[in-house]
């Protein structure tokens, strides 16, 4: 997928004017935030679990090589295959080879962010293999030829009318005048169409929320049941997983499971948490005959040992974007690549380069809400600041911004000059503000004052007032 | 290609972590951590008297939009199944797991029972389960010759029979039980309520691709002897 992250500003402007998007994001904010808050309130151990989750993932990352090799060995013991892939291209080729070996013409897919990251669908289509998304949201955006706009609710930006339109256009097998105004009717139609696909598909591809070293199991967490049908009915099950998904034991998985659904949808537990271990056993009556795990690095190993290592704790719950004022205003597509919101603004530069995503670390007010709700306690605002520093070091911001920062640094490191300058500025702005104490329009900050008045300073700097009060206090005592 | 990639990824991880391969001692320590699993933070609600855990299991399962019927013994299961089907205007027809504990279903006069895997046209499945987890009203189902996984997902209605004595507090207890019985099966399904989606305008709908209804028949076998039979 071609990133348009460099055009964040333009994308965001367009998004803000989109009334339908505004409505969808409004519903999302209330829904996800309230549900999460209620679920967290119901579990007194939630904060303790967050600490445990953070410590667990930190431990895994420090010993990632070992846990991956144990996981690999256990998958093989169960008769499964493990394919290591350095990058997206290697991962795509690996999947293609498995599909070709099986003579696959159609593959069903459960929702997988890593599949989006490696742009698998487009690639398979080019090679003559039809990938069919089976998660309802993913199915809708696949028909619309769009990327997801949210990592757990990919079609959050699409209205039910737009879903009806695309279904009418695509599902020609049904009567043209059938009623499709209700979500239930749309869901039933998708269910009916996809039932056939599940059964016909030659290969089923799912992602993985976790990999378990203890048992060599892969884990998916879903609500619809599509991921389960995807991995149950075709003869071959392919799991795509990035390397940081491994945890040592089934007990460790419980810590993450207790955090995941509550942070994501506000459920106590998602409807289906499925552990898959190897292919079907000799006496099983159903299940896939082959089990492949495609382990994908694609830039993760390079994040270890850097200021961005902690980002690898992310469990893709989407709590950060659900609570982000910027995401809430512009939606996911504005971010221009696969991962939106605060986690996307940290991860995208790490995966596709800051030179291809320079505006993203600035797409934040650093209000800190994302870190406050992150189940893995990832210091997202701090990492956004690290990216801003890197962006500056690499001369990526526009000349005017750089000059302004340079001027700021120059003056801020000269205390006398700084005091004189700020005192003069406070005085000037105070006079400008007049009796109302507000400034209607500031030439240097016009976009900001276009939407609101700036409160004027009272006329003194903090240092001036402090000195004055010290003197007054001295006299009184 | 793959073995090169493997070496490359592992080397890259180690280089980034600023170390070589872990020393034997450290690896042995990590292996111990894997092979002697210990529970982490277990919520208080996953602990307590067994009778209270059974009540919590019911409460949490219902919170997840499952329905629960309680029966005194296995012999009452077929009638409970038949009644539930009738109550939902469904034909008295089920596909049941080929597990011996469900053999009684065939003895019921009005139920038409097939055993084995599920087919897309099947309207209702009946399966046993491995454990019920009180913490979130979750059922743990294991794949195997006597429990094909398709039963859990293809039919629109899923009836799960669980004995109260199978109810545990937290997930870790279910794992301990599983480890005690030996190898992990191909599929372990943790099921919490029926299938659902909110993908169209955030409107919650049950029955996305999996079952629309999840019904639990709970056999109160733990009360015999230990409890003085209230309720």
């Amino acid at each position: 997928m071609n990133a348009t992250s460099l055009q964040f500003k333009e994308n965001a402007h367009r998004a803000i004017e989109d009334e339908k998007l505004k409505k969808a994001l409004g519903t999302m904010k209330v829904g996800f935030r309230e549900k999460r808050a209620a679920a967290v309130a119901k579990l007194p151990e939630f904060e303790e679990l967050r600490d445990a989750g953070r410590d667990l993932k930190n431990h895994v990352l420090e010993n990632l090589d070992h846990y991956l090799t144990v996981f690999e060995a256990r998958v093989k013991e169960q008769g499964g295959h493990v394919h290591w892939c350095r990058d997206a291209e290697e991962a795509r080729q690996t999947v293609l080879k498995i599909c070709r070996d099986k003579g696959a013409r159609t593959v069903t897919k459960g929702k997988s962010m890593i599949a989006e990251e490696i742009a698998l669908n487009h690639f398979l289509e080019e090679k003559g293999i039809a990938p069919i998304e089976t998660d309802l949201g993913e199915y809708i955006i696949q028909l619309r030829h769009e990327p997801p706009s949210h990592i757990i609710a990919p079609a959050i930006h699409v209205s039910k009318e737009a879903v009806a339109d695309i279904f009418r256009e695509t599902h020609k097998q049904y009567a043209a005048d059938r009623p499709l105004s209700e979500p239930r009717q749309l869901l039933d139609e998708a269910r009916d169409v996809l039932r056939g696909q599940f059964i016909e598909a030659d290969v089923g591809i799912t992602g993985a929320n976790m990999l378990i070293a203890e048992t060599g199991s892969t884990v998916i967490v879903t609500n619809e049941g599509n991921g389960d049908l995807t991995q149950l009915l075709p003869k071959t099950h392919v799991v795509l997983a990035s390397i940081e998904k491994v945890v040592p034991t089934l007990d460790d998985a419980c810590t993450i499971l207790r955090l995941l659904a509550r942070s994501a949808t506000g459920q106590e537990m998602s409807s289906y948490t499925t552990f898959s271990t190897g292919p079907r056993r000799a006496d099983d009556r159903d299940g896939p005959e082959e089990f492949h795990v495609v382990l994908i690095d694609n830039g993760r190993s390079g994040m270890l040992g850097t200021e961005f290592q902690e980002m690898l704790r992310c469990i893709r719950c989407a709590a950060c974007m659900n609570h982000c004022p910027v995401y809430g205003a512009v939606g996911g597509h504005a971010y221009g690549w696969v991962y939106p919101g605060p986690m996307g603004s940290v991860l995208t530069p790490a995966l596709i380069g800051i030179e291809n995503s320079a505006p993203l670390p600035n797409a934040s007010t650093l209000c800190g809400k994302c870190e406050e709700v992150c189940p893995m306690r990832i210091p997202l605002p701090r990492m956004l600041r690290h990216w801003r520093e890197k962006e500056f070091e690499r001369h990526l911001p526009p000349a005017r911004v750089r000059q302004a920062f340079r001027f700021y640094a120059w003056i801020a490191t000269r205390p006398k000059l700084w005091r004189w300058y700020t005192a003069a500025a406070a005085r000037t702005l105070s006079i400008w503000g007049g009796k109302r104490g507000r400034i209607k329009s500031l030439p240097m900050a016009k976009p900001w004052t276009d939407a609101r008045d700036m409160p004027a300073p009272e006329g003194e700097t903090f240092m001036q007032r402090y000195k004055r009060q010290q003197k007054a206090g001295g006299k009184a005592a | 290609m793959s073995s090169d990639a493997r070496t490359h990824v592992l080397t890259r991880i180690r280089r980034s972590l600023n170390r070589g391969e872990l020393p034997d001692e450290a690896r042995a320590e990590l292996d111990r951590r894997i092979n002697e699993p210990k529970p982490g933070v277990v919520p208080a609600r996953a602990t307590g008297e067994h009778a209270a855990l059974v009540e919590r299991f019911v409460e949490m399962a219902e919170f997840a939009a499952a329905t629960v019927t309680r029966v005194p013994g296995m012999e009452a299961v077929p009638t409970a199944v038949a009644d539930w089907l009738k109550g939902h205007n469904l034909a008295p027809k089920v596909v049941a797991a080929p597990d011996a504990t469900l053999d009684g279903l065939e003895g019921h006069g009005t139920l038409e029972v097939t055993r084995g895997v599920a087919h897309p046209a099947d309207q209702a499945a009946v399966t046993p389960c491995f454990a019920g987890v009180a913490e979130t009203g979750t059922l743990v189902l294991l794949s195997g010759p006597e429990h094909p996984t398709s039963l859990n997902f293809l039919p629109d209605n899923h009836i799960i029979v669980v004995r109260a004595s199978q109810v545990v507090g937290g997930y870790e207890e279910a794992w301990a039980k599983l480890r005690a019985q030996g190898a992990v099966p191909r599929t372990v399904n943790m099921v919490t309520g029926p299938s659902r989606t909110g993908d169209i305008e955030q409107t919650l709908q049950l029955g996305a691709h999996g079952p629309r209804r999840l019904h639990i028949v709970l056999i109160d076998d733990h009360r015999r002897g230990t409890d003085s039979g209230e309720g």
Side-chain angles (χ1 to χ4, degrees):
Chain A
M1 177 183 162
N2 288 327
T4 64
S5 306
L6 286 174
Q7 289 100 53
F8 178 80
K9 229 171 153 176
E10 294 78 7
N11 296 347
H13 272 295
R14 227 174 305 125
I16 281 174
E17 278 156 27
D18 185 338
E19 287 301 320
K20 280 185 190 160
L21 181 66
K22 202 174 181 178
K23 191 172 152 247
L25 292 170
T27 321
M28 175 207 86
K29 277 187 266 185
V30 180
F32 280 141
R33 290 181 195 175
E34 284 179 359
K35 284 180 197 151
R36 176 194 173 274
V40 168
K42 252 183 106 173
L43 191 73
E45 295 85 356
F46 194 76
E47 294 305 312
E48 208 184 324
L49 279 160
R50 288 175 72 194
D51 291 339
R54 174 199 58 204
D55 297 347
L56 166 65
K57 281 287 218 173
N58 282 348
H59 167 80
V60 167
L61 294 173
E62 289 300 329
N63 300 288
L64 189 58
D65 50 340
H66 187 68
Y67 285 124
L68 284 172
T69 50
V70 174
F71 169 76
E72 176 192 34
R74 305 266 159 111
V75 173
K76 287 182 171 170
E77 280 166 27
Q78 308 276 358
H81 307 272
V82 177
H83 310 265
W84 298 72
C85 300
R86 279 167 279 211
D87 51 30
E89 178 57 19
E90 219 162 61
R92 288 189 292 258
Q93 293 294 346
T94 303
V95 175
L96 178 64
K97 185 167 184 311
I98 297 169
C99 291
R100 290 238 164 110
D101 286 350
K102 299 285 120 196
R105 279 183 307 179
T106 64
V107 304
T108 40
K109 280 184 65 210
K111 197 177 100 56
S112 155
M113 288 311 297
I114 189 81
E116 297 287 344
E117 183 184 318
I118 65 171
L120 184 64
N121 284 359
H122 180 68
F123 173 80
L124 289 179
E125 276 164 17
E126 270 183 356
K127 305 290 172 189
I129 294 169
I132 294 147
E133 294 289 351
T134 61
D135 170 86
L136 181 59
E138 285 282 343
Y139 178 66
I140 292 167
I141 60 166
Q142 185 183 29
L143 295 182
R144 287 166 56 95
H145 304 286
E146 280 180 321
S149 70
H150 189 281
I151 62 171
I152 65 162
I156 197 155
H157 58 287
V158 186
S159 68
K160 62 177 193 272
E161 290 77 22
V163 178
D165 289 346
I166 194 72
F167 278 14
R168 276 188 211 286
E169 203 177 295
T170 319
H171 304 155
K172 297 286 187 201
Q173 64 270 45
Y174 300 103
D177 59 349
R178 66 193 182 279
L180 280 181
S181 56
E182 292 304 314
R184 182 80 242 170
Q185 294 160 337
L186 295 165
L187 170 60
D188 286 344
E189 182 163 313
R191 177 180 167 119
D192 195 47
V193 171
L194 288 168
R195 269 293 156 110
Q197 305 288 2
F198 283 124
I199 290 154
E200 272 170 35
D202 306 291
V203 172
I205 299 177
T206 67
N209 291 81
M210 282 182 276
L211 308 172
I212 316 277
E214 177 192 354
T215 52
S217 311
T218 64
V219 184
I220 58 168
V221 179
T222 72
N223 272 318
E224 295 185 5
N226 65 303
D228 288 280
L229 291 170
T230 297
Q231 60 163 289
L232 171 71
L233 301 177
K235 287 196 167 155
T236 304
H237 177 200
V238 178
V239 180
L240 307 178
S242 50
I243 53 174
E244 81 280 14
K245 299 283 175 200
V246 69
V247 296
T249 66
L250 292 168
D251 287 41
D252 293 315
C254 298
T255 299
I256 291 178
L257 289 176
R258 288 186 178 113
L259 291 164
L260 180 57
R262 290 182 175 94
S263 299
T265 54
Q267 285 167 280
E268 294 279 320
M269 185 80 163
S270 299
S271 297
Y272 302 115
T273 301
T274 299
F275 296 71
S276 308
T277 313
R280 71 196 277 178
R281 309 293 188 255
D283 50 359
D284 278 351
R285 295 171 194 239
D286 54 20
E289 287 159 15
E290 280 188 30
F291 178 64
H292 296 264
V293 182
V294 182
L295 272 182
I296 305 167
D297 182 340
N298 206 29
R300 270 85 174 164
S301 59
M303 291 167 71
L304 291 169
T306 71
E307 57 270 66
F308 303 109
Q309 173 167 327
E310 290 178 272
M311 189 60 220
L312 297 174
R313 291 205 299 262
C314 177
I315 55 172
R316 308 286 190 265
C317 70
C320 61
M321 61 196 74
N322 292 342
H323 291 78
C324 176
V326 175
Y327 180 95
V330 302
H333 285 162
Y335 292 79
W337 197 54
V338 178
Y339 302 102
M343 59 77 66
S345 295
V346 173
L347 193 59
T348 304
L351 298 182
I352 68 171
I354 184 74
E355 64 281 3
N356 294 315
S357 54
L360 294 188
N362 302 299
S364 164
T365 62
L366 300 184
C367 73
K369 193 69 193 171
C370 49
E371 183 174 0
E372 213 176 285
V373 296
C374 175
M376 305 308 287
R377 295 200 192 282
I378 299 172
L380 291 156
R382 194 180 80 205
M383 291 185 193
L384 290 169
R385 275 196 298 269
H386 282 312
W387 277 125
R388 290 182 186 185
E389 283 158 19
K390 288 201 187 292
E391 185 200 353
F392 192 79
E393 280 163 20
R394 301 184 61 174
H395 300 269
L396 295 171
R400 245 184 36 197
V401 175
R402 297 182 57 76
Q403 277 158 11
F405 275 125
R406 217 171 276 133
F407 173 69
Y408 174 81
W410 182 78
I411 199 162
T413 48
R414 287 164 176 77
K416 270 191 189 158
L417 189 61
W418 172 260
R419 266 179 229 145
W420 176 84
Y421 180 81
T422 48
R427 186 97 198 104
T428 314
L429 289 173
S430 163
I431 292 165
W432 194 345
K435 274 190 194 144
R436 276 183 69 240
R438 307 188 82 77
I439 296 164
K440 279 205 155 160
S441 173
L442 259 188
M444 299 280 281
K446 222 178 156 317
W448 197 85
T449 50
D450 274 354
R452 48 179 108 52
D453 291 349
M454 185 175 108
E458 286 182 5
E460 286 182 306
T461 64
F462 171 77
M463 288 303 288
Q464 285 173 324
R465 174 171 291 195
Y466 180 73
K467 271 188 193 153
R468 188 160 55 77
Q469 290 188 344
Q470 285 284 308
K471 261 188 214 162
K475 266 180 209 160
Chain B
M1 166 177 106
S2 197
S3 80
D4 276 2
R6 182 183 191 277
T7 313
H8 180 97
V9 172
L10 291 172
T11 309
R12 187 91 202 262
I13 290 171
R14 289 169 191 144
R15 199 185 305 144
S16 291
L17 292 170
N18 211 3
R19 62 166 170 78
E21 210 171 320
L22 287 166
D24 290 350
E25 209 173 297
R27 285 210 308 250
E29 184 64 38
L30 295 176
D31 286 340
R32 243 194 317 280
R33 194 183 177 310
I34 294 171
N35 298 325
E36 296 162 24
K38 287 193 183 67
V41 178
V42 177
R45 68 154 94 144
T47 60
E49 292 283 316
H50 188 253
L53 290 177
V54 174
E55 298 309 315
R56 195 161 303 140
F57 167 75
V58 172
E59 178 200 332
M60 294 310 295
E62 287 175 343
F63 185 72
T67 50
V68 183
T69 306
R70 300 176 78 150
V71 298
M74 191 55 97
E75 63 286 351
V77 170
T79 307
V81 169
D83 288 352
W84 186 83
L85 292 171
K86 205 173 156 198
H88 289 86
N89 271 331
L90 297 167
K93 231 173 120 176
V94 295
V95 52
D99 184 293
T101 57
L102 297 179
D103 286 352
L105 289 173
E106 271 122 340
H108 190 271
T110 60
L111 275 180
E112 187 185 327
V113 184
T114 48
R115 308 293 287 266
V117 300
H119 296 284
D122 292 326
Q123 58 149 11
V126 184
T127 70
C129 73
F130 176 68
V133 185
E135 181 175 357
T136 46
T138 299
L139 294 140
V140 181
L141 313 174
L142 307 183
S143 67
E146 53 306 300
H147 190 154
T149 303
S150 51
L151 292 169
N152 309 341
F153 294 98
L154 277 177
D156 218 11
N157 302 280
H158 187 189
I159 302 169
I160 301 179
V161 180
V162 56
R163 281 178 280 111
S165 55
Q166 290 177 300
V167 172
V168 296
Y171 315 123
E172 290 87 346
E173 286 177 65
W175 297 139
K177 264 177 76 172
L178 181 64
R179 289 184 194 109
Q181 91 163 23
V184 180
R186 150 68 195 172
T187 306
V188 180
N189 292 122
M190 292 171 93
V191 176
T192 313
S195 155
R196 67 193 68 203
T197 182
D199 273 348
I200 298 174
E201 293 195 348
Q202 298 267 293
T203 320
L204 179 73
Q205 316 220 45
L206 299 182
H209 293 290
R212 198 175 303 235
R213 300 191 193 94
L214 181 74
H215 184 62
I216 298 167
V217 179
L218 174 67
I219 303 170
D220 276 316
D221 62 349
H222 68 309
R223 300 198 167 189
R224 293 175 186 170
T226 58
D227 204 302
S228 55
E230 24 134 355

